[in-house]
Amino acid sequence: MEPAIDRAGRFEEGWLLGELLRVKGEFSLLQAEEGAAPMAEDCFRQALDPARRQGALTWELRAAMSIARLRRDENKHADALAQLQPLYDRFTEGFDTADLREAKALLDTLR
């Protein structure tokens, strides 16, 4: 994973950097090692920056969903909702896509 992230940061694949960081965070959670949650959150937050800079709303939504799921699992539903709802509200179309359906389902469980 690290070589792909390094390459994305150095070359023209920078548009993919945010998603690679988000996936790295998800993998760290799957490993369930001590300290995985803070490391994953750091990856998710780092993933938000390139997505925002590029105006890649779907990449930003995916990172926000990862943070929201982490918060949900920590029983911090209000924090999860605050992270995800404003971003979801920025969408005006595409509500039948997998990402937006998943975001809506997550929001419904957080309420």
Side-chain angles (χ1 to χ4, degrees):
M1 178 112 286
E2 290 303 322
I5 292 171
D6 290 342
R7 180 183 168 97
R10 287 183 288 137
F11 300 105
E12 293 181 21
E13 292 90 357
W15 60 272
L16 190 56
L17 180 60
E19 182 65 357
L20 289 171
L21 288 164
R22 186 192 69 79
V23 169
K24 178 183 175 183
E26 293 290 350
F27 279 141
S28 88
L29 287 176
L30 288 174
Q31 292 174 359
E33 295 176 359
E34 187 173 328
M39 183 181 143
E41 182 176 358
D42 185 51
C43 289
F44 299 151
R45 295 212 178 276
Q46 287 180 47
L48 289 170
D49 292 333
R52 285 180 181 144
R53 281 193 309 271
Q54 297 165 9
L57 196 54
T58 297
W59 295 122
E60 192 176 350
L61 178 70
R62 287 181 179 184
M65 284 192 296
S66 292
I67 294 169
R69 281 190 296 270
L70 188 61
R71 290 287 175 255
R72 177 201 60 202
D73 295 347
E74 296 170 339
N75 289 319
K76 297 179 180 177
H77 290 226
D79 289 347
L81 195 58
Q83 178 71 46
L84 186 55
Q85 186 71 59
L87 190 56
Y88 181 84
D89 290 343
R90 289 173 50 198
F91 283 85
T92 58
E93 61 186 2
F95 293 100
D96 59 339
T97 63
D99 287 324
L100 286 174
R101 285 194 318 263
E102 184 180 343
K104 174 78 166 89
L106 180 55
L107 287 167
D108 289 345
T109 66
L110 294 171
R111 290 190 187 104

